[in-house]
Amino acid sequence: MTNQPPKRMYSIAAALASAALLLGAAACGSTDQTTDASSTSTPGPVSTLLPESVQKAGILTIATDAQLPPNNFVGPDGKTIIGVSVDMGNAVAKALGVKATFVNTKFASLITGLQAGRYDIAMSGITDTAERQKQVDFVDFIESGQVFIVPKGNPGKVDSQDAMCGKNLSLVTGTISVDLAEAQSAKCVQAGQEQVKILKFPTVADALLQLTNGRADANIANLGKAAYQSKESGGKLEVAGKPFATSYDAVAVKKGDKEMIAALQYGFEQIIKDGTYQKVLEKWDVQDSAVDKVVVNGGDSLEGSTS
Amino acid sequence: MAAQNEIRAKPVPRPGLWALTVVAVLVAAFLVWTFASSPNVHWDVIANYQFSDAILQGLLVTLKLAVICEITGLLLGIGLAVMRLSSSRVLSWLSGIYVWVFRSVPLLVQLVLWFNLGLLFPHIGIPGTPFVVETNDVITGFVAAILGLTLHEAAYNAEIVRGGIAAVDRGQVEAAQALGMNRALLLRRVVLPQALRVIVPPAGNQFISLLKNTSLVAFIAGGDLLSTAQNIYSGNFEIIALLIVASLWYLLLVSITSFLQGRLERHIGRSSAHSTKPRRDEPAPAAVAGA
């Protein structure tokens, strides 16, 4: 059990919040009205599959970079982290009989913190790639293709990978989109066309601003993120193209942490079986990204993987 | 000279100092060894990327930005400092307001604002004439970076230069005025050469911080050294290794800067009575006394 006060405070807050939700649910006489799927019933016994330290603490510490809607982002109150990762993390934790605590961390510390044992797992819309598997292990739980986010009316006419030649793409550093655009750029040059002009930004917001700004023609994101962003943009942005380069979004686990991987697989199995998994995806409008079964390090088996 | 008059002074033994020196060296060696031999520091990856094209490209951008913005920022800063100290109230206020604004607004905000100027003004130029251009064509990432960094540096340099000028003794100015020098000549011949001695150390410091501030251009797709390293590590998750790659380059750049700064300081301070260190070739004052 760690003695970090913030963690403890979070867990107390989480406990209070879920208690309140439980009361609310009981008062309504129905569990369907609460939005947080994880808090609708008391957690079962702590799963013995989990690493001992997590079992003892009763808390699964999850690192996330809260600037990636709809996966993980700060909610309308300006402080609570919400999103697919959060609901999914809560659901899995509950299935394993523990509480999930989310820590908002920047990308670099997400992975180093995982490696240093500061966090138990990282859930941040991370794409599983063969290259990254050298550093961490992945439990893949969302499968989705990439599409283009373009300004309204698609003035740059970017609706397929080949249409990217000579166009300005504003992308988010560290996402699979950069690899895809670079690979396409090489293809463009080979075919005697202009290369893809790639601008890289640290956050989604910075990258998408360039679309409204008129500096870039398109952004690449997976279907769920693209749909969310275009909806949130109030008509300034839209989705273009058919999904391509299917990839997995995954939970990142410290390399070789077999117990954690087994526990997560079990946890996901449970929530897929009882329907919580599908409910979370539906809540965020990404039900098309569902997997039948989570796989471990499956990233290199998909067409979108890069190495 | 009679030999028996010479004092053969024996240094006072200082066992505490020696012990401390040994401990300090051992601790330092231990830290270096621990770091260097850690299996978690992937030296092979570091060696792989240290001279890779992408990193060198980023290094070039960092260097270009730092050098260009140092020059423009310093020139603008000197101008602002002179304005600040001028006898015209209006000029002095304008300069004061500039420094107030550009020291207050975070550099990151400035960079993002300049880069996205096209959102506020899609076209810039004189309306109704052919001299109108698309803002996004003019304000490229590089131009936005130069603008933001220059304006930011100028504000800080203005304060450094103002401090240097203020440090020059009032009597010097009065003496020069008594000799009939006009303001420009007085500034060039008397004030600035003396002010430089006070200006160079903090200005060197400021340059080093500029060197590292260039990493903020990541927010405007700048592609400098640190953001290039970040781009690479976000793909392969070799975070510590790539950060070390970037740090080694920054270490080298700052070492060169510090060396040049030291040379410059000695050059400027050569005529000063209170230069910080006695030169090695000068005899120590104590030896002179014994002659």
Side-chain angles (χ1 to χ4, degrees):
Chain A
M1 171 106 191
T2 50
N3 280 329
Q4 288 170 330
K7 214 186 251 185
R8 198 179 258 172
M9 276 164 58
Y10 277 104
S11 65
I12 291 170
L16 285 176
S18 46
L21 276 170
L22 269 174
L23 283 175
C28 294
S30 153
T31 52
D32 291 334
Q33 296 195 356
T34 52
T35 46
D36 190 343
S38 71
S39 304
T40 48
S41 63
T42 29
V46 175
S47 166
T48 48
L49 290 168
L50 282 164
E52 218 171 298
S53 59
V54 181
Q55 286 186 41
K56 269 194 199 150
I59 291 167
L60 186 66
T61 309
I62 306 176
T64 192
D65 183 353
Q67 289 190 328
L68 258 180
N71 287 57
N72 13 259
F73 60 110
V74 176
D77 68 350
K79 50 181 199 254
T80 315
I81 307 171
I82 57 172
V84 184
S85 300
V86 177
D87 290 346
M88 210 57 101
N90 278 329
V92 170
K94 203 200 81 183
L96 294 169
V98 290
K99 291 264 174 232
T101 300
F102 287 84
V103 184
N104 188 2
T105 317
K106 282 277 157 283
F107 180 83
S109 309
L110 211 65
I111 302 306
T112 50
L114 194 63
Q115 290 167 331
R118 186 184 296 271
Y119 315 118
D120 297 317
I121 55 175
M123 292 180 80
S124 196
I126 304 168
T127 306
D128 174 358
T129 69
E131 194 180 18
R132 291 171 167 182
Q133 285 168 17
K134 291 177 200 154
Q135 303 300 319
V136 293
D137 282 323
F138 291 107
V139 176
D140 307 321
F141 69 98
I142 277 185
E143 182 182 343
S144 142
Q146 307 283 319
V147 287
F148 296 102
I149 306 177
V150 296
K152 188 181 168 56
N154 198 358
K157 299 197 171 46
V158 183
D159 51 9
S160 71
Q161 283 178 278
D162 288 332
M164 284 156 70
C165 301
K167 297 291 160 58
N168 290 302
L169 274 280
S170 88
L171 307 173
V172 183
T173 299
T175 59
I176 192 179
S177 66
V178 177
D179 301 314
L180 292 170
E182 276 168 359
Q184 180 60 38
S185 188
K187 270 191 211 161
C188 294
V189 174
Q190 256 182 1
Q193 283 177 292
E194 245 188 289
Q195 62 177 14
V196 182
K197 286 169 228 140
I198 301 168
L199 300 165
K200 291 179 224 172
F201 296 89
T203 71
V204 180
D206 290 305
L208 293 183
L209 186 57
Q210 300 317 310
L211 298 179
T212 19
N213 185 355
R215 196 187 295 273
D217 302 303
N219 167 274
I220 304 173
N222 82 25
L223 193 53
K225 291 173 200 165
Y228 180 86
Q229 289 295 352
S230 59
K231 202 173 83 188
E232 288 294 300
S233 75
K236 283 187 195 148
L237 303 174
E238 58 186 50
V239 176
K242 290 205 180 74
F244 61 96
T246 310
S247 66
Y248 281 127
D249 272 8
V251 184
V253 181
K254 186 176 181 176
K255 186 93 204 141
D257 191 349
K258 293 214 173 65
E259 286 173 303
M260 184 59 83
I261 293 171
L264 289 175
Q265 279 183 296
Y266 172 79
F268 273 109
E269 242 170 63
Q270 297 308 304
I271 61 169
I272 291 174
K273 221 190 285 171
D274 73 10
T276 319
Y277 173 82
Q278 287 77 4
K279 258 188 217 159
V280 169
L281 295 185
E282 275 163 30
K283 174 181 165 189
W284 294 101
D285 260 342
V286 287
Q287 55 273 28
D288 296 342
S289 307
V291 293
D292 302 330
K293 187 176 180 301
V294 291
V295 286
V296 177
N297 293 334
D300 42 353
S301 65
L302 294 179
E303 56 164 318
S305 87
T306 48
S307 49
Chain B
M1 281 290 123
Q4 67 263 38
N5 282 351
E6 246 173 58
I7 298 168
R8 301 200 173 197
K10 223 174 130 192
V12 181
R14 304 176 70 179
L17 185 70
W18 298 332
L20 202 62
T21 309
V22 171
V23 170
V25 168
L26 283 179
V27 169
F30 173 73
L31 288 178
V32 170
W33 180 79
T34 312
F35 186 70
S37 64
S38 163
N40 294 324
V41 179
H42 302 159
W43 291 105
D44 53 326
V45 180
I46 295 171
N48 237 337
Y49 281 104
Q50 193 69 54
F51 298 97
S52 68
D53 286 347
I55 289 288
L56 292 182
Q57 194 66 40
L59 179 66
L60 188 69
V61 171
T62 290
L63 270 176
K64 263 200 228 163
L65 283 176
V67 170
I68 293 174
C69 297
E70 177 63 16
I71 295 169
T72 51
L74 199 59
L75 289 177
L76 190 55
I78 293 173
L80 285 163
V82 172
M83 268 170 77
R84 189 73 205 268
L85 297 166
S86 102
S87 43
S88 156
R89 276 275 173 81
V90 178
L91 286 183
S92 177
W93 277 352
L94 284 177
S95 164
I97 288 169
Y98 176 96
V99 171
W100 171 63
V101 170
F102 284 91
R103 278 206 308 185
S104 310
V105 179
L107 179 56
L108 176 60
V109 175
Q110 254 208 72
L111 288 171
V112 173
L113 279 180
W114 283 115
F115 189 60
N116 294 300
L117 198 64
L119 266 183
L120 309 173
F121 312 104
H123 305 278
I124 42 179
I126 307 158
T129 68
F131 303 108
V132 176
V133 283
E134 290 253 345
T135 307
N136 284 340
D137 291 345
V138 185
I139 311 282
T140 61
F142 193 72
V143 172
I146 297 272
L147 271 173
L149 287 168
T150 297
L151 296 175
H152 176 85
E153 280 302 291
Y156 280 89
N157 282 328
E159 285 298 281
I160 291 172
V161 174
R162 187 176 68 87
I165 293 176
V168 176
D169 194 76
R170 184 82 200 131
Q172 299 273 334
V173 178
E174 283 164 8
Q177 278 169 338
L179 288 172
M181 282 191 191
N182 64 24
R183 261 194 88 80
L185 191 66
L186 185 156
L187 207 62
R188 215 171 61 229
R189 288 264 177 87
V190 180
V191 177
L192 281 183
Q194 299 192 70
L196 266 185
R197 262 206 308 276
V198 185
I199 290 169
V200 169
N205 223 9
Q206 188 61 31
F207 176 71
I208 289 170
S209 92
L210 167 65
L211 209 56
K212 285 174 290 190
N213 274 343
T214 53
S215 64
L216 287 177
V217 303
F219 283 84
I220 56 173
D224 70 295
L225 176 56
L226 186 59
S227 29
T228 306
Q230 288 169 330
N231 288 344
I232 297 172
Y233 76 50
S234 50
N236 65 11
F237 284 7
E238 286 280 5
I239 293 148
I240 301 292
L242 265 305
L243 287 177
I244 291 175
V245 166
S247 298
L248 287 175
W249 280 119
Y250 282 114
L251 264 175
L252 180 72
L253 292 183
V254 173
S255 306
I256 296 171
T257 309
S258 306
F259 171 75
L260 293 178
Q261 185 188 343
R263 289 285 294 267
L264 188 62
E265 274 174 38
R266 241 183 298 155
H267 178 77
I268 292 167
R270 72 196 183 287
S271 60
S272 161
H274 41 82
S275 49
T276 47
K277 255 193 213 167
R279 282 170 52 173
R280 267 189 213 139
D281 48 343
E282 277 173 6
V288 180

Coordinates of all heavy atoms in Angstrom, one line a residue, chain B residues 86-153:
Chain B
S86 N 15.8 57.3 -22.8 CA 15.8 58.6 -23.5 C 15.1 59.6 -22.8 O 14.3 59.4 -21.8 CB 15.2 58.4 -24.9 OG 13.9 58.9 -24.9
S87 N 15.4 60.9 -23.2 CA 14.7 62.0 -22.4 C 13.3 62.2 -22.9 O 12.6 63.0 -22.3 CB 15.6 63.3 -22.6 OG 16.0 63.4 -24.0
S88 N 12.9 61.5 -24.0 CA 11.5 61.6 -24.4 C 10.6 60.7 -23.5 O 10.8 59.5 -23.5 CB 11.4 61.3 -25.9 OG 10.1 60.9 -26.1
R89 N 9.7 61.3 -22.9 CA 8.8 60.6 -22.0 C 8.0 59.5 -22.8 O 7.9 58.4 -22.4 CB 7.7 61.6 -21.4 CG 8.2 62.3 -20.2 CD 8.0 61.4 -18.9 NE 8.5 62.0 -17.7 CZ 8.0 62.9 -17.0 NH1 6.8 63.4 -17.4 NH2 8.5 63.4 -16.0
V90 N 7.5 59.9 -24.0 CA 6.7 59.0 -24.8 C 7.5 57.8 -25.2 O 7.1 56.6 -25.0 CB 6.2 59.7 -26.0 CG1 5.4 58.8 -26.9 CG2 5.4 60.9 -25.6
L91 N 8.7 58.0 -25.7 CA 9.6 56.8 -26.1 C 9.8 55.9 -24.9 O 9.8 54.7 -25.0 CB 10.9 57.3 -26.6 CG 10.8 57.9 -28.1 CD1 12.2 58.3 -28.5 CD2 10.2 57.0 -29.0
S92 N 10.1 56.6 -23.8 CA 10.4 55.8 -22.6 C 9.2 55.0 -22.1 O 9.4 53.8 -21.8 CB 10.8 56.8 -21.4 OG 11.1 56.1 -20.3
W93 N 8.0 55.6 -22.2 CA 6.8 54.8 -21.8 C 6.6 53.7 -22.8 O 6.3 52.6 -22.4 CB 5.6 55.7 -21.8 CG 5.5 56.5 -20.6 CD1 6.2 56.4 -19.4 CD2 4.5 57.6 -20.4 NE1 5.8 57.3 -18.5 CE2 4.8 58.1 -19.0 CE3 3.6 58.2 -21.1 CZ2 4.0 59.1 -18.5 CZ3 2.8 59.3 -20.6 CH2 3.1 59.7 -19.3
L94 N 6.7 54.0 -24.1 CA 6.4 52.9 -25.1 C 7.3 51.7 -24.8 O 6.9 50.6 -24.9 CB 6.6 53.5 -26.5 CG 5.5 54.4 -27.0 CD1 5.9 54.9 -28.4 CD2 4.2 53.6 -27.1
S95 N 8.6 52.0 -24.6 CA 9.5 50.9 -24.3 C 9.2 50.2 -23.1 O 9.2 48.9 -23.0 CB 10.9 51.5 -24.2 OG 11.8 50.6 -23.6
G96 N 8.7 50.9 -22.1 CA 8.3 50.3 -20.8 C 7.1 49.4 -21.0 O 7.1 48.3 -20.5
I97 N 6.2 49.9 -21.8 CA 5.0 49.1 -22.1 C 5.3 47.8 -22.9 O 4.9 46.7 -22.6 CB 3.9 49.9 -22.8 CG1 3.3 51.0 -21.9 CG2 2.8 49.0 -23.4 CD1 2.5 52.0 -22.6
Y98 N 6.2 48.0 -23.8 CA 6.7 46.8 -24.6 C 7.2 45.7 -23.7 O 6.8 44.6 -23.7 CB 7.7 47.2 -25.6 CG 8.3 46.0 -26.4 CD1 7.8 45.7 -27.6 CD2 9.3 45.2 -25.8 CE1 8.3 44.6 -28.3 CE2 9.8 44.2 -26.5 CZ 9.3 43.8 -27.8 OH 9.8 42.8 -28.4
V99 N 8.2 46.2 -22.8 CA 8.8 45.2 -21.9 C 7.8 44.5 -21.0 O 7.8 43.3 -20.8 CB 9.9 45.9 -21.1 CG1 10.5 45.0 -20.0 CG2 11.1 46.3 -22.0
W100 N 6.9 45.4 -20.5 CA 5.8 44.9 -19.6 C 5.0 43.8 -20.3 O 4.8 42.7 -19.8 CB 4.9 46.0 -19.2 CG 3.7 45.6 -18.5 CD1 3.6 45.0 -17.3 CD2 2.3 45.9 -18.9 NE1 2.3 44.8 -16.9 CE2 1.5 45.3 -17.9 CE3 1.8 46.5 -20.0 CZ2 0.1 45.4 -17.9 CZ3 0.4 46.5 -20.1 CH2 -0.4 46.0 -19.1
V101 N 4.6 44.1 -21.6 CA 3.7 43.1 -22.3 C 4.5 41.8 -22.6 O 4.0 40.7 -22.3 CB 3.1 43.8 -23.6 CG1 2.5 42.7 -24.5 CG2 2.2 44.9 -23.2
F102 N 5.6 42.0 -23.2 CA 6.3 40.8 -23.8 C 7.0 40.0 -22.7 O 7.4 38.9 -22.9 CB 7.2 41.2 -24.9 CG 6.5 41.4 -26.2 CD1 6.0 42.7 -26.5 CD2 6.1 40.4 -27.0 CE1 5.3 43.0 -27.6 CE2 5.3 40.7 -28.1 CZ 4.9 42.0 -28.4
R103 N 7.2 40.6 -21.5 CA 7.7 39.7 -20.4 C 6.6 39.1 -19.7 O 6.8 38.0 -19.0 CB 8.5 40.6 -19.4 CG 9.9 40.8 -19.9 CD 10.9 41.1 -18.7 NE 10.3 42.1 -17.8 CZ 11.0 42.5 -16.7 NH1 12.2 42.0 -16.5 NH2 10.5 43.5 -16.0
S104 N 5.4 39.6 -19.8 CA 4.2 39.0 -19.1 C 3.6 37.9 -19.9 O 3.2 36.9 -19.3 CB 3.2 40.1 -18.9 OG 3.8 41.2 -18.3
V105 N 3.5 38.0 -21.2 CA 2.8 37.0 -21.9 C 3.7 35.8 -22.1 O 4.8 36.0 -22.6 CB 2.4 37.5 -23.3 CG1 1.7 36.4 -24.1 CG2 1.4 38.7 -23.2
P106 N 3.3 34.6 -21.7 CA 4.2 33.4 -21.8 C 4.6 33.2 -23.2 O 3.8 33.4 -24.2 CB 3.3 32.3 -21.3 CG 2.3 32.9 -20.4 CD 2.1 34.3 -21.0
L107 N 5.9 32.8 -23.4 CA 6.4 32.6 -24.8 C 5.5 31.6 -25.5 O 5.3 31.8 -26.7 CB 7.9 32.1 -24.6 CG 8.6 31.8 -25.9 CD1 8.6 33.0 -26.9 CD2 10.0 31.3 -25.6
L108 N 5.1 30.6 -24.9 CA 4.3 29.6 -25.6 C 3.0 30.2 -26.2 O 2.7 30.0 -27.3 CB 3.9 28.5 -24.6 CG 3.0 27.4 -25.1 CD1 3.6 26.7 -26.3 CD2 2.6 26.4 -24.0
V109 N 2.4 31.1 -25.4 CA 1.1 31.7 -25.9 C 1.5 32.6 -27.1 O 0.7 32.5 -28.1 CB 0.5 32.6 -24.7 CG1 -0.7 33.4 -25.3 CG2 0.1 31.7 -23.5
Q110 N 2.6 33.3 -27.0 CA 3.0 34.1 -28.1 C 3.2 33.3 -29.4 O 2.7 33.7 -30.4 CB 4.3 34.8 -27.7 CG 4.2 36.2 -27.4 CD 5.5 36.8 -27.7 OE1 5.9 37.0 -28.9 NE2 6.3 37.1 -26.7
L111 N 3.9 32.2 -29.2 CA 4.2 31.4 -30.4 C 2.9 30.9 -31.0 O 2.8 31.0 -32.3 CB 5.1 30.2 -30.0 CG 6.6 30.6 -29.6 CD1 7.3 29.4 -29.1 CD2 7.3 31.1 -30.9
V112 N 2.0 30.4 -30.2 CA 0.8 29.9 -30.8 C 0.0 31.0 -31.4 O -0.6 30.8 -32.5 CB 0.0 29.2 -29.6 CG1 -1.4 28.7 -30.1 CG2 0.7 27.9 -29.1
L113 N 0.0 32.2 -30.8 CA -0.8 33.3 -31.4 C -0.2 33.7 -32.7 O -0.9 33.9 -33.7 CB -0.7 34.5 -30.4 CG -1.7 34.5 -29.3 CD1 -1.6 35.8 -28.4 CD2 -3.2 34.4 -29.8
W114 N 1.1 33.9 -32.8 CA 1.7 34.3 -34.1 C 1.4 33.2 -35.2 O 1.1 33.6 -36.3 CB 3.2 34.4 -33.9 CG 3.6 35.7 -33.3 CD1 4.2 35.9 -32.1 CD2 3.4 37.0 -33.8 NE1 4.4 37.2 -31.8 CE2 3.9 37.9 -32.8 CE3 2.8 37.5 -34.9 CZ2 3.9 39.3 -33.0 CZ3 2.8 38.9 -35.1 CH2 3.3 39.8 -34.1
F115 N 1.6 32.0 -34.8 CA 1.4 30.9 -35.8 C 0.0 30.9 -36.3 O -0.2 30.5 -37.4 CB 1.8 29.5 -35.1 CG 1.8 28.4 -36.1 CD1 2.7 28.4 -37.1 CD2 1.0 27.3 -35.9 CE1 2.8 27.4 -38.0 CE2 1.1 26.2 -36.8 CZ 2.0 26.3 -37.9
N116 N -1.0 31.2 -35.4 CA -2.4 31.1 -35.8 C -2.9 32.5 -36.2 O -4.1 32.7 -36.1 CB -3.2 30.5 -34.7 CG -2.8 29.0 -34.6 OD1 -2.9 28.3 -35.6 ND2 -2.3 28.6 -33.4
L117 N -2.1 33.4 -36.6 CA -2.5 34.8 -36.9 C -3.5 34.7 -38.0 O -4.4 35.6 -38.1 CB -1.3 35.6 -37.4 CG -1.4 37.1 -37.4 CD1 -1.6 37.6 -35.9 CD2 -0.1 37.7 -38.0
G118 N -3.4 33.7 -38.9 CA -4.4 33.6 -40.0 C -5.8 33.4 -39.5 O -6.7 33.7 -40.3
L119 N -6.0 33.0 -38.3 CA -7.4 32.9 -37.8 C -8.0 34.2 -37.6 O -9.2 34.4 -37.8 CB -7.3 32.1 -36.4 CG -7.5 30.6 -36.4 CD1 -7.5 30.2 -34.9 CD2 -8.9 30.3 -37.0
L120 N -7.2 35.2 -37.1 CA -7.6 36.5 -36.8 C -7.6 37.4 -38.1 O -8.5 38.1 -38.4 CB -6.8 37.2 -35.7 CG -6.5 36.4 -34.4 CD1 -5.5 37.1 -33.5 CD2 -7.9 36.2 -33.7
F121 N -6.5 37.3 -38.8 CA -6.4 38.1 -40.0 C -6.0 37.1 -41.2 O -4.8 36.8 -41.4 CB -5.3 39.1 -39.9 CG -5.4 39.9 -38.6 CD1 -4.5 39.7 -37.5 CD2 -6.3 40.9 -38.5 CE1 -4.7 40.4 -36.4 CE2 -6.4 41.7 -37.3 CZ -5.6 41.4 -36.3
P122 N -7.0 36.7 -42.0 CA -6.7 35.7 -43.1 C -5.7 36.3 -44.1 O -4.9 35.6 -44.7 CB -8.0 35.4 -43.7 CG -9.0 35.8 -42.6 CD -8.4 36.9 -41.8
H123 N -5.8 37.7 -44.3 CA -4.9 38.3 -45.2 C -4.1 39.5 -44.5 O -4.7 40.1 -43.6 CB -5.6 38.9 -46.4 CG -6.5 37.9 -47.1 ND1 -6.0 37.0 -48.0 CD2 -7.8 37.6 -46.9 CE1 -6.9 36.2 -48.4 NE2 -8.1 36.5 -47.8
I124 N -2.9 39.7 -44.9 CA -2.2 40.9 -44.4 C -1.7 41.7 -45.5 O -1.4 41.2 -46.6 CB -1.1 40.5 -43.3 CG1 -0.3 39.4 -43.8 CG2 -1.6 40.3 -42.0 CD1 0.9 39.0 -42.9
G125 N -1.6 43.0 -45.3 CA -1.1 43.9 -46.3 C -1.9 45.2 -46.3 O -2.7 45.4 -45.4
I126 N -1.8 45.9 -47.4 CA -2.6 47.2 -47.5 C -3.8 46.9 -48.3 O -3.6 46.5 -49.5 CB -1.7 48.3 -48.1 CG1 -0.4 48.4 -47.3 CG2 -2.5 49.6 -48.1 CD1 0.7 49.1 -48.1
P127 N -5.0 47.0 -47.8 CA -6.2 46.6 -48.5 C -6.3 47.5 -49.8 O -6.0 48.7 -49.8 CB -7.3 46.9 -47.5 CG -6.7 47.1 -46.2 CD -5.3 47.5 -46.4
G128 N -6.8 46.9 -50.9 CA -7.1 47.7 -52.1 C -5.9 47.8 -53.0 O -5.9 48.4 -54.0
T129 N -4.7 47.3 -52.5 CA -3.5 47.3 -53.4 C -3.1 45.9 -53.6 O -3.6 44.9 -53.0 CB -2.4 48.0 -52.6 OG1 -2.0 47.2 -51.5 CG2 -2.8 49.4 -52.1
P130 N -2.2 45.7 -54.6 CA -1.7 44.3 -54.8 C -0.9 43.8 -53.6 O -0.5 42.6 -53.6 CB -0.8 44.4 -56.0 CG -1.1 45.8 -56.6 CD -1.6 46.6 -55.5
F131 N -0.6 44.6 -52.7 CA 0.3 44.2 -51.6 C -0.5 43.5 -50.5 O -0.4 43.9 -49.3 CB 1.1 45.4 -51.0 CG 1.9 46.1 -52.0 CD1 1.5 47.4 -52.4 CD2 3.0 45.6 -52.5 CE1 2.2 48.1 -53.4 CE2 3.8 46.2 -53.5 CZ 3.4 47.5 -53.9
V132 N -1.3 42.5 -50.9 CA -2.0 41.7 -49.9 C -1.7 40.3 -50.1 O -1.7 39.8 -51.2 CB -3.5 42.0 -50.0 CG1 -4.3 41.0 -49.1 CG2 -3.9 43.4 -49.8
V133 N -1.3 39.6 -49.0 CA -0.9 38.2 -49.1 C -1.7 37.4 -48.1 O -2.2 37.9 -47.1 CB 0.6 38.0 -48.9 CG1 1.4 38.4 -50.1 CG2 1.0 38.8 -47.6
E134 N -1.7 36.1 -48.4 CA -2.4 35.2 -47.4 C -1.5 35.1 -46.2 O -0.3 34.8 -46.3 CB -2.4 33.8 -48.0 CG -3.4 33.6 -49.2 CD -4.6 32.8 -48.7 OE1 -4.6 32.2 -47.7 OE2 -5.7 32.9 -49.4
T135 N -2.1 35.3 -45.0 CA -1.3 35.3 -43.8 C -0.5 34.0 -43.6 O 0.7 34.0 -43.3 CB -2.2 35.5 -42.6 OG1 -3.0 36.6 -42.8 CG2 -1.4 35.6 -41.3
N136 N -1.2 32.8 -43.9 CA -0.5 31.5 -43.7 C 0.7 31.3 -44.6 O 1.5 30.5 -44.3 CB -1.6 30.4 -43.9 CG -2.5 30.3 -42.7 OD1 -2.1 30.8 -41.6 ND2 -3.6 29.7 -42.9
D137 N 0.7 32.0 -45.8 CA 1.8 31.9 -46.7 C 3.0 32.6 -46.1 O 4.2 32.2 -46.3 CB 1.5 32.5 -48.1 CG 0.5 31.6 -48.8 OD1 0.3 30.4 -48.3 OD2 -0.1 32.1 -49.8
V138 N 2.8 33.7 -45.4 CA 3.9 34.5 -44.9 C 4.3 34.0 -43.5 O 5.5 33.8 -43.3 CB 3.4 36.0 -44.7 CG1 4.6 36.9 -44.3 CG2 2.9 36.5 -46.0
I139 N 3.4 33.8 -42.7 CA 3.7 33.3 -41.3 C 3.9 31.8 -41.3 O 2.9 31.1 -41.0 CB 2.7 33.8 -40.3 CG1 2.3 35.2 -40.4 CG2 3.1 33.4 -38.9 CD1 3.3 36.2 -39.8
T140 N 5.0 31.3 -41.8 CA 5.2 29.9 -41.7 C 5.6 29.6 -40.3 O 5.8 30.5 -39.5 CB 6.4 29.5 -42.6 OG1 7.6 30.2 -42.2 CG2 6.1 29.8 -44.1
G141 N 5.8 28.3 -40.0 CA 6.2 27.9 -38.6 C 7.5 28.6 -38.2 O 7.6 29.1 -37.1
F142 N 8.4 28.6 -39.2 CA 9.7 29.2 -38.9 C 9.6 30.7 -38.6 O 10.2 31.3 -37.7 CB 10.7 28.9 -40.0 CG 12.1 29.2 -39.7 CD1 12.8 28.4 -38.9 CD2 12.7 30.3 -40.3 CE1 14.1 28.6 -38.6 CE2 14.1 30.6 -40.0 CZ 14.8 29.7 -39.2
V143 N 8.8 31.4 -39.5 CA 8.7 32.8 -39.3 C 8.0 33.1 -37.9 O 8.4 34.0 -37.2 CB 7.8 33.4 -40.4 CG1 7.5 34.9 -40.2 CG2 8.6 33.3 -41.7
A144 N 7.0 32.4 -37.6 CA 6.3 32.6 -36.3 C 7.2 32.4 -35.2 O 7.2 33.1 -34.2 CB 5.1 31.6 -36.2
A145 N 8.1 31.4 -35.3 CA 9.1 31.1 -34.2 C 10.0 32.2 -34.1 O 10.3 32.7 -33.0 CB 9.8 29.8 -34.6
I146 N 10.5 32.8 -35.2 CA 11.5 33.9 -35.2 C 10.8 35.1 -34.6 O 11.4 35.8 -33.7 CB 11.9 34.3 -36.7 CG1 12.7 33.1 -37.3 CG2 12.7 35.6 -36.7 CD1 14.1 33.1 -37.0
L147 N 9.5 35.4 -35.0 CA 8.8 36.5 -34.4 C 8.7 36.4 -32.9 O 9.0 37.3 -32.1 CB 7.4 36.6 -35.0 CG 7.3 37.4 -36.3 CD1 5.9 37.2 -36.9 CD2 7.5 38.8 -36.1
G148 N 8.1 35.2 -32.5 CA 7.8 35.0 -31.1 C 9.1 35.1 -30.2 O 9.2 35.8 -29.2
L149 N 10.1 34.4 -30.7 CA 11.4 34.3 -29.9 C 12.1 35.7 -29.9 O 12.6 36.1 -28.8 CB 12.3 33.3 -30.4 CG 11.9 31.8 -30.2 CD1 12.7 30.9 -31.0 CD2 12.1 31.5 -28.7
T150 N 12.1 36.4 -31.0 CA 12.7 37.7 -31.1 C 12.1 38.7 -30.1 O 12.7 39.4 -29.3 CB 12.7 38.3 -32.5 OG1 13.4 37.4 -33.4 CG2 13.3 39.7 -32.6
L151 N 10.7 38.8 -30.2 CA 10.0 39.7 -29.4 C 10.2 39.4 -27.9 O 10.3 40.3 -27.1 CB 8.5 39.7 -29.8 CG 8.3 40.2 -31.2 CD1 6.8 40.1 -31.6 CD2 8.8 41.6 -31.4
H152 N 10.2 38.2 -27.6 CA 10.4 37.7 -26.2 C 11.8 38.1 -25.7 O 12.0 38.7 -24.6 CB 10.1 36.2 -26.1 CG 10.4 35.6 -24.8 ND1 9.4 35.6 -23.8 CD2 11.5 35.0 -24.3 CE1 9.9 35.0 -22.8 NE2 11.1 34.6 -23.0
E153 N 12.8 37.7 -26.5 CA 14.2 38.0 -26.2 C 14.4 39.4 -26.0 O 15.2 39.9 -25.1 CB 15.1 37.4 -27.3 CG 15.4 35.9 -27.2 CD 15.9 35.5 -25.8 OE1 17.1 35.9 -25.6 OE2 15.2 34.9 -25.1

